Amino acid sequence: MKRLKNMTIFWKIIAGSLTACILIFTLAFCYFFYEKEIKDDLFYTSEYYDTQISRHIWYHKSSYDGKGYIFNCETGKKTLKDVSWITLSEEGDPLAVFSTGEKRGYFNIHTGKVSLPAQYSKAWIFSEGVAAVSTNDSLFFIDHTGEKIFEHGFILPQETRDYCFHNGYCLLANEKGQMGLIDKSGNWALAPEYDNLVREGRNYWSACKDGHWGVYSDSLVEILACEYEMVTVSEDRGIYISQSDHIQKRCDYDGTILDDFICGSIYQLSYDTGIYNENGETMMATAQCWMYAVETGYYGLISPEGKLITPPRYKNIEALGKDIYLCSYDYNGIFSLLLDSKGNIIHPQSSNH
């Protein structure tokens, strides 16, 4: 009986050990499964690093390693992992750009899932249903399915720009760096012969050629030839132009002059009379003319009645007396003229002793 009792204790120890081993193995397996299968799918939120993409889709970026992921806060699942950064369309397009750090692709902002795999060297947001992508040194344009909207591509310019379509046109430069506009057929709607092109109000374009600016309409009709110092197209106030003599005017959207002269600010000029008051302070007096400024940083003289005395050709104007003004062509006053209140040059008289 004693031997049987000892055998029973032995097997109890064996059974207990096996149970403990099974429990440890089960716990280890559960931990491994959690780390590899469950934990990787859970999301962790942080107010500072979380960005809402759509109603249920968010982007989280780690503050430690810079890695991020996209997750669905409704299902509690990650939908896209190893995301370095994202860029959303300004037009609310359903596809947004994501980067893995090496390649770029597109994901759906409503599902958080990949729509176009990360296969591009560079990728830009969708605009008007079209996106620019590049592989190596080639730039081409695709639709939401990843298909090219036209077969031929372009050489990727050295200077990276926002290759988006606006009102049917996309700004692009040729291999020489000259800029133009292509349409959605991949043809040059505006030949690449400009130093710069800027999208303005009302989908107009300002164009710079050989240092002079002009304006094209939203349908690329030439409104103003490239012969102005500066042009600005307002959404509702017309086109502002600055001539080669720095005089600014305002035109209608068809180029018709509305105002022959406009300026930004007007300043009253004062001069030192050379007389001191009873406190020993210099007494100042008001000069006859005022000074006006234009947007390009030049100044001119104008009468109190609003009559233009001089074009805005000076970098600085100082009143020396009631009817005498020191007008400088540079900020240092090295190249200057003395003018009277009518804009006439005053030639200083030399004194003979």
Side-chain angles (χ1 to χ4, degrees):
M1 291 293 293
K2 186 176 180 180
R3 183 177 180 183
L4 181 61
K5 185 177 180 180
N6 290 337
M7 288 293 293
T8 302
I9 294 173
F10 173 77
W11 286 111
K12 284 183 178 180
I13 293 174
I14 294 297
S17 299
L18 288 174
T19 302
C21 290
I22 293 171
L23 179 61
I24 293 172
F25 176 80
T26 302
L27 291 174
F29 176 80
C30 290
Y31 177 78
F32 178 82
F33 183 79
Y34 168 78
E35 287 288 328
K36 295 298 182 181
E37 301 297 333
I38 298 178
K39 181 181 178 181
D40 199 38
D41 283 331
L42 296 178
F43 63 85
Y44 302 89
T45 61
S46 164
E47 290 183 1
Y48 186 77
Y49 291 98
D50 286 353
T51 302
Q52 186 172 10
I53 298 172
S54 60
R55 183 177 180 181
H56 300 299
I57 306 301
W58 290 68
Y59 171 63
H60 174 83
K61 186 172 184 177
S62 171
S63 59
Y64 299 102
D65 56 15
K67 295 182 179 179
Y69 52 79
I70 296 169
F71 61 91
N72 187 319
C73 65
E74 185 179 41
T75 63
K77 296 290 185 179
K78 294 179 183 177
T79 56
L80 184 57
K81 304 171 186 177
D82 299 323
V83 178
S84 298
W85 53 261
I86 63 172
T87 302
L88 306 180
S89 170
E90 298 176 356
E91 300 176 357
D93 193 277
L95 298 191
V97 182
F98 74 92
S99 172
T100 63
E102 297 180 356
K103 296 290 185 178
R104 301 176 189 180
Y106 294 87
F107 71 94
N108 189 295
I109 64 173
H110 301 297
T111 65
K113 297 180 179 180
V114 173
S115 294
L116 299 174
Q119 57 187 315
Y120 306 109
S121 303
K122 294 182 179 180
W124 287 264
I125 59 173
F126 272 88
S127 58
E128 299 183 3
V130 176
V133 294
S134 71
T135 55
N136 300 322
D137 294 328
S138 296
L139 180 74
F140 53 94
F141 295 84
I142 61 173
D143 59 20
H144 284 132
T145 67
E147 295 295 325
K148 296 179 182 179
I149 64 171
F150 47 81
E151 284 302 318
H152 66 276
F154 297 89
I155 296 176
L156 182 65
Q158 293 183 351
E159 183 179 355
T160 302
R161 293 182 176 271
D162 174 17
Y163 301 116
C164 293
F165 275 89
H166 301 286
N167 196 40
Y169 303 109
C170 178
L171 176 63
L172 201 61
N174 62 13
E175 60 276 7
K176 297 180 180 179
Q178 295 173 307
M179 302 176 66
L181 297 173
I182 63 170
D183 57 24
K184 288 187 178 180
S185 297
N187 299 318
W188 289 105
L190 190 63
E193 56 186 27
Y194 299 94
D195 305 323
N196 199 3
L197 283 169
V198 179
R199 190 166 65 95
E200 299 272 4
R202 295 200 169 197
N203 286 316
Y204 275 41
W205 294 87
S206 57
C208 181
K209 190 174 184 180
D210 299 327
H212 295 88
W213 290 85
V215 175
Y216 285 90
S217 72
D218 55 346
S219 57
L220 302 188
V221 174
E222 185 182 75
I223 303 299
L224 297 170
C226 294
E227 56 186 32
Y228 298 96
E229 179 184 33
M230 185 187 71
V231 295
T232 303
V233 182
S234 168
E235 283 286 354
D236 55 3
R237 296 187 178 182
I239 304 173
Y240 296 90
I241 63 173
S242 177
Q243 300 179 161
S244 57
D245 59 3
H246 315 306
I247 288 181
Q248 285 190 284
K249 298 182 179 183
R250 186 171 71 96
C251 304
D252 200 348
Y253 294 106
D254 61 2
T256 303
I257 298 294
L258 297 176
D259 298 305
D260 282 325
F261 171 77
I262 59 173
C263 63
S265 303
I266 297 180
Y267 307 91
Q268 192 174 41
L269 296 173
S270 299
Y271 63 93
D272 186 346
T273 62
I275 302 174
Y276 298 88
N277 60 20
E278 56 186 11
N279 297 321
E281 298 170 338
T282 301
M283 297 183 66
M284 303 296 291
T286 301
Q288 186 171 334
C289 290
W290 292 50
M291 178 178 69
Y292 69 90
V294 294
E295 190 176 353
T296 50
Y298 289 88
Y299 299 91
L301 289 173
I302 193 171
S303 73
E305 297 78 27
K307 180 182 178 182
L308 196 66
I309 305 300
T310 71
R313 60 167 64 105
Y314 307 106
K315 284 295 184 179
N316 188 48
I317 297 178
E318 179 184 356
L320 302 181
K322 185 176 182 62
D323 192 34
I324 184 171
Y325 308 90
L326 180 66
C327 302
S328 304
Y329 289 107
D330 56 70
Y331 292 111
N332 299 321
I334 298 176
F335 300 100
S336 304
L337 291 176
L338 290 176
L339 302 181
D340 62 19
S341 297
K342 294 182 179 180
N344 298 318
I345 298 176
I346 299 173
H347 298 283
Q349 300 293 321
S350 59
S351 57
N352 296 318
H353 297 283

